[in-house]
Amino acid sequence: MKDLVTVFTPVYNRKNLIGNLYQSLLSQTYKNFEWIIVDDGSTDDIDEIIKSYQNEDRILIRFIKQENGGKHRAINNGVLHAKGELFYIVDSDDYLTKDSIERIVFHYQYIKNNDKFAGVCGMKCFPDGSRIGKEVTWKILKDSWINYWIIKNIKGDVAFVFKTSVLRNYLFDDIPGEKFCAESLVLNRIGKNYLMLFFNEKIYIAEYLSDGLSVSSIKNRMNSPNYAMRIYSEMASLDIPYLKKIKAHINYWRFAPCSKLKMKNKIKQIGIYSYIIFMPIGYLFHMKDKKNNYIDIRHVGSKR
């Protein structure tokens, strides 16, 4: 029996954009997949669009509504409802190459029964076909996400496809009152314990929008500082190059002023030496962010 893949899409007021993704799913050469859509409290009647897709009955679509809580909570919801062996996150404003799922399942066969691997990763590209980030020359790479992104510093976006069973053990934390958590929180945790199979094939086409999460990354972290602090405190404890640790410490204190936690609790989370050495630098970045929190995604080359 062919492996069932769950394609997961979180949506928030995207009724005019999701059609490209739907059409790309209809064109997939591999047909054994379900499409789970979690509506994160939309107000644009996207449910009517999804209902029309369901009525066409061309692919299996499961539509779930939740109160507005952020993409990370939508992912948790999708993972818990997924029936597929693999879980493929595809944003509502992006779409897939016609052989995307087929290539994922092809490469998955090589690590399917290997408990050291959490999943596979293909490459993301712009609509013109250029990779998001620098082109790479290797075809297959077996490595942890931490080695790939933080230590080897291989830039550019990848399309993660995880074993659903692994993701269920790495759900996002739930911090009340905060609605943005970068996916790196879970990626780094998985990267400490698992490998990924990276394959150099472009399977995911990304459209970066001026109102998307990516371009407001700093603002989102300022509005959800406790998630940001948790990410950077955990990153600072990883076995990574010292300069990367320094950056994590600085970023921790960059967003700490936005948190209502007491100072003693902020210090406890990352350590007194971090406070003494890096807090002043982080605070300078914080003051700069307050003046200008817009980030140009083309310069960064990453959607996280």
Side-chain angles (χ1 to χ4, degrees), residues 104-140:
I104 286 166
V105 173
F106 172 82
H107 290 287
Y108 174 59
Q109 303 309 310
Y110 293 95
I111 56 97
K112 178 176 180 178
N113 298 315
N114 190 332
D115 291 338
K116 294 181 179 179
F117 285 83
V120 299
C121 290
M123 301 294 126
K124 290 187 179 182
C125 65
F126 290 112
D128 64 4
S130 60
R131 183 172 181 260
I132 301 175
K134 294 182 179 179
E135 296 286 351
V136 293
T137 57
W138 45 264
K139 293 183 178 180
I140 298 291

Side-chain angles (χ1 to χ4, degrees), residues 64-257:
I64 301 166
K65 296 177 72 71
Q66 68 175 35
E67 292 184 7
N68 180 250
K71 180 179 178 180
H72 62 292
R73 290 188 176 91
I75 292 174
N76 282 354
N77 205 347
V79 170
L80 294 174
H81 284 87
K83 295 181 180 179
E85 186 171 340
L86 293 173
F87 193 84
Y88 187 10
I89 301 174
V90 185
D91 288 340
S92 57
D93 49 332
D94 300 334
Y95 52 101
L96 304 178
T97 62
K98 65 180 181 180
D99 63 347
S100 180
I101 302 177
E102 179 181 350
R103 299 310 298 165
I104 286 166
V105 173
F106 172 82
H107 290 287
Y108 174 59
Q109 303 309 310
Y110 293 95
I111 56 97
K112 178 176 180 178
N113 298 315
N114 190 332
D115 291 338
K116 294 181 179 179
F117 285 83
V120 299
C121 290
M123 301 294 126
K124 290 187 179 182
C125 65
F126 290 112
D128 64 4
S130 60
R131 183 172 181 260
I132 301 175
K134 294 182 179 179
E135 296 286 351
V136 293
T137 57
W138 45 264
K139 293 183 178 180
I140 298 291
L141 183 63
K142 298 178 181 179
D143 211 338
S144 73
W145 168 246
I146 293 173
N147 280 336
Y148 180 95
W149 177 252
I150 302 178
I151 297 178
K152 293 181 178 178
N153 203 33
I154 301 176
K155 296 297 185 182
D157 275 11
V158 295
F160 287 99
V161 187
F162 287 104
K163 295 176 179 177
T164 306
S165 59
V166 170
L167 276 186
R168 286 190 174 133
N169 292 321
Y170 289 90
L171 297 176
F172 286 90
D173 302 347
D174 189 356
I175 299 179
E178 297 195 354
K179 295 184 179 182
F180 176 78
C181 179
E183 291 170 44
S184 55
L185 179 71
V186 166
L187 296 178
N188 291 341
R189 290 174 178 177
I190 293 175
K192 290 175 64 175
N193 299 304
Y194 289 93
L195 299 172
M196 299 292 291
L197 187 151
F198 298 88
F199 59 97
N200 186 19
E201 299 176 31
K202 296 165 184 173
I203 61 170
Y204 184 118
I205 302 167
E207 294 271 17
Y208 290 109
L209 302 175
S210 60
D211 63 342
L213 288 177
S214 303
V215 295
S216 54
S217 174
I218 292 176
K219 181 179 180 181
N220 286 330
R221 280 178 282 174
M222 292 176 73
N223 290 334
S224 297
N226 292 302
Y227 275 123
M229 291 163 60
R230 189 165 299 181
I231 289 169
Y232 291 121
S233 64
E234 291 185 11
M235 187 176 294
S237 70
L238 295 175
D239 185 15
I240 58 178
Y242 191 63
L243 288 177
K244 300 285 188 179
K245 286 179 175 284
I246 290 176
K247 184 176 180 181
H249 281 281
I250 292 173
N251 276 324
Y252 179 91
W253 292 109
R254 177 182 188 175
F255 297 104

